[in-house]
Amino acid sequence: MATITTHAQALFTVPFSHNTDFTDLADHCERFAHTLLETGDPAKKMALCARLSACLALLQPTLNEPIPSHLVERFTLTDLPSRLPAFEPESELLGLYCQTLTQLLISNALPRDMAKVMEGLLYELVGFYAGTLNAPRWLQTPEGRVAIDALID
């Protein structure tokens, strides 16, 4: 638990601004969200949420900008990666996400502009959830039926 506390404390003081590279901002966001899951202290959760929100606000305007020349090499590969980032929660967890967002919208606790964002997120999650549940699971081969995940992994 001391590691989480020390790690969280460092996150409260990590500097970032509009001059921070988008890659560093994304890394900070990931660390804030990860530590948020690990801490049980309500005050630390609020502080981490505030830091995450500030970092996300700085990151948003950079999304359509070209990659800075000093970072181009980092994003250049000679071979295709074996794996790309993907959103792959288990079906049960994805269902809980959808149900929680639905309940949040039912509670009418959010300002209208935030509710619209949550409605969009819920739409995307429910579409992904339905697609996941309705996705083919097997491939018929000359050797018999094979699980598709076994072929992909």
Side-chain angles (χ1 to χ4, degrees):
M1 191 68 170
T3 305
I4 292 171
T5 303
T6 305
H7 179 65
Q9 294 298 79
L11 288 176
F12 298 133
T13 58
V14 67
F16 58 86
S17 71
H18 67 281
N19 292 321
T20 306
D21 281 333
F22 75 95
T23 56
D24 293 331
L25 290 172
D27 290 343
H28 292 328
C29 287
E30 189 173 27
R31 284 191 295 276
F32 295 145
H34 182 259
T35 306
L36 182 64
L37 285 174
E38 291 182 340
T39 187
D41 182 325
K44 287 182 179 157
K45 282 186 176 287
M46 284 298 256
L48 286 164
C49 283
R51 297 283 288 172
L52 176 58
S53 180
C55 202
L56 288 168
L58 290 171
L59 188 56
Q60 188 67 33
T62 70
L63 297 178
N64 294 320
E65 293 178 6
I67 292 178
S69 58
H70 70 279
L71 292 175
V72 169
E73 197 64 34
R74 175 178 175 178
F75 290 93
T76 304
L77 301 174
T78 55
D79 292 315
L80 288 176
S82 60
R83 202 175 141 94
L84 292 172
F87 182 65
E88 298 175 342
E90 295 294 324
S91 294
E92 290 175 23
L93 189 55
L94 188 55
L96 286 173
Y97 291 160
C98 294
Q99 186 60 265
T100 300
L101 282 173
T102 301
Q103 293 302 315
L104 181 62
L105 289 168
I106 288 171
S107 74
N108 206 22
L110 297 172
R112 187 68 202 135
D113 58 334
M114 287 183 181
K116 289 300 284 179
V117 171
M118 289 295 109
E119 289 168 4
L121 177 59
L122 180 60
Y123 171 78
E124 295 292 337
L125 282 176
V126 168
F128 184 75
Y129 188 44
T132 299
L133 295 175
N134 292 314
R137 289 164 175 78
W138 300 278
L139 180 67
Q140 189 65 45
T141 70
E143 292 79 32
R145 188 175 295 152
V146 178
I148 291 176
D149 355 351
L151 298 172
I152 296 173
D153 289 338

